[in-house]
């Protein structure tokens, strides 16, 4: 039969190559099982509200009023909404060009971009220019826009940490670029060794690849490590020497569960380094409303800030953003609220502080419960989740299990995760979806299930795992560390 214009055989090859494990085979099987009536715990996506996290009250009040501005004219509005929420809704509506139903500028509302710049300035202690901040539909769209501007073809390489969040590998495939991996060191709590970077770049160059940019994810997904200031400085120096644009994915900056290394932004470290670095290194930093104690994934709000990009490049990025007309306006308002939340003395401050603190403290406890739970299991080792929303235990698979996976036509960690899903309803993502060293196996789970359900989930994991290990155990030839 003749091929259709758009048949699988005629599909863009880059689309076929692109893989996105977070919604891959495991997720599809979990959805099937759910339809069959099995209780599934979806820990495959960092989607806090889907696992029961309640939205923060104040921002939703403001957005609700912006969505339904006629409520502002209702004489009873003050009985349902606090005065500061009413005032903020009026403020944001005044920044729009016709409320939430009107497109904004393609870079986002100037008033919100100004609030983002003020936030960055307060956070880092260095000036930030609203003209260099673009609001986006989630951080994902920003990352895609910037990679689109960097990648000219398969001769262009992007340094990406392995393990990594597959937004990067998938987008690089889609855009026809080349992913240049650098490995994080599991035995050093997923630390980043600049010597590995040098080796990766040298190897890529020997294959004729022009390495153009480097991605860091801080705190890390799926690995959960928080970079030290010294490490970020080394990375920035490396980018300066090698002429690389640094893409700083900082979407988990609020999600920190240790006190030794508080979050420090790449922008702040760069500014502190002074000349020639502060004027020389090109940096694009990303943030979102999807993470932190907000967890507003479905709202799709994000921004990126550009440092040391020439005005003509910024103009071109604006042009490309303009093709999509406008980022989602209600999420721009949420972003405005995230960067300028209620302040001490405001009517809504106490409630806002109580809610956000409650979520963060619980996440910190959950990070601990998960890591300890995994480390109590047979043949499982797990670094502590210092930040972000994930636990990434290594599963040391016995040869019998690797053999059984082969027979089933599955990658070993996919085999393990499928068995886990069937036995317990826990839906995870196999480590192979993020990249890992050859012959080493992991899984990723979020730390997001409700705290009161955690002990039961970890018990059921342990029961499954220990039985699995006993079933396949013959005490020799384990997958290596
Ligand atoms: N960057 C990182 C490191 C992420 O983990 C995510 C989402 C994003 C960017 C994009 O988020 P938004 O587009 O929503 O701003 N993390 C996915 C994940 O691993 N699980 O859930 C979503």
């Amino acid at each position: 039969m003749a091929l259709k214009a758009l048949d699988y055989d005629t599909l863009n090859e880059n689309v076929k190559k692109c893989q996105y494990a977070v919604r891959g085979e495991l997720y599809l099987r979990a959805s099937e099982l759910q339809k069959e009536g099995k209780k599934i715990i979806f820990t495959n996506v960092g989607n806090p509200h889907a696992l029961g996290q309640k939205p923060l009250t104040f921002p939703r009040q403001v957005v609700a009023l912006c969505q339904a501005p006629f409520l502002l004219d209702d004489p009873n509005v003050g009985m349902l909404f606090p005065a500061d929420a009413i005032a903020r809704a009026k403020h944001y509506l005044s920044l729009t060009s016709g409320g939430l139903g009107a497109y904004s500028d393609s870079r986002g509302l100037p008033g919100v971009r100004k609030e983002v710049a003020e936030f960055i300035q307060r956070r880092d202690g260095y000036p930030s220019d609203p003209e260099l901040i673009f609001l986006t539909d989630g951080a994902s769209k920003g990352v895609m826009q910037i990679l689109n501007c960097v990648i000219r073809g398969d001769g262009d390489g992007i340094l990406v940490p392995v393990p990594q969040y597959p937004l990067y590998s998938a987008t690089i495939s889609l855009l026809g670029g080349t992913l240049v991996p650098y490995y994080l060191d599991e035995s050093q709590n997923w630390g980043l060794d600049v010597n590995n970077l040098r080796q990766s770049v040298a190897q890529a160059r020997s294959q004729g690849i022009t390495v153009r940019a480097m991605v860091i994810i801080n705190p890390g997904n799926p690995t959960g490590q928080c970079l030290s200031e010294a490490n970020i400085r080394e990375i920035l120096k490396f980018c300066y020497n090698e002429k690389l644009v640094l893409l700083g994915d900082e979407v988990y900056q609020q999600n920190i569960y240790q006190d030794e290394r508080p979050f420090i932004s790449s922008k702040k470290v760069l500014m502190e380094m002074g000349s020639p670095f502060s004027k020389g290194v090109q940096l694009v930093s990303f943030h979102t409303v999807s993470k932190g104690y907000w967890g507003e994934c479905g709202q799709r709000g994000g921004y990126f800030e550009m440092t040391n990009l020439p005005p003509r490049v910024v103009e071109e990025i604006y042009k490309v953003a303009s093709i999509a007309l406008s980022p989602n306006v209600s999420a721009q308002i949420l972003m405005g609220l995230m960067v300028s939340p209620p302040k001490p003395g405001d009517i809504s401050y106490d409630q806002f502080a109580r809610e956000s603190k409650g979520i963060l403290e619980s996440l910190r406890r959950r990070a601990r419960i998960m890591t300890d739970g995994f480390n109590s299991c047979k043949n499982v080792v797990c670094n502590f989740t210092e930040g972000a929303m994930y636990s990434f235990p290594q599963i040391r698979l016995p040869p019998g299990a690797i053999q059984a996976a082969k027979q089933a036509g599955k990658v070993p960690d996919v085999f393990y995760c499928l068995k886990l899903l069937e036995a317990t309803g826990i839906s995870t993502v196999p480590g192979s979806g993020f990249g890992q060293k050859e012959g080493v196996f992991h899984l990723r789970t979020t730390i997001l299930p409700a705290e009161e359900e955690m002990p039961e989930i970890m018990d059921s994991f342990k029961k499954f795992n220990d039985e699995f290990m006993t079933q396949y155990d013959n005490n020799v030839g384990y997958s290596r560390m």
Side-chain angles (χ1 to χ4, degrees), residues 20 22 44-47 137-140 165 167-168 217 221 249 251-252 288 290-291 300-301 390 444:
Y20 186 72
V22 172
N44 57 310
V45 187
N47 193 7
D137 293 336
S140 310
Y165 169 51
L167 163 66
Y168 293 97
I217 309 177
N221 174 9
D249 185 328
V251 299
Y252 296 104
T288 184
S290 301
K291 310 296 170 185
R300 314 306 300 129
Y390 312 96
R444 188 193 80 168

Side-chain angles (χ1 to χ4, degrees), residues 311-333:
R312 282 187 67 186
V313 172
V314 175
E315 277 299 308
E316 293 292 306
I317 297 174
Y318 183 16
K319 180 182 76 187
V320 172
S322 303
I323 302 171
L325 293 161
S326 157
N328 174 355
V329 178
S330 67
Q332 295 185 42
I333 291 173

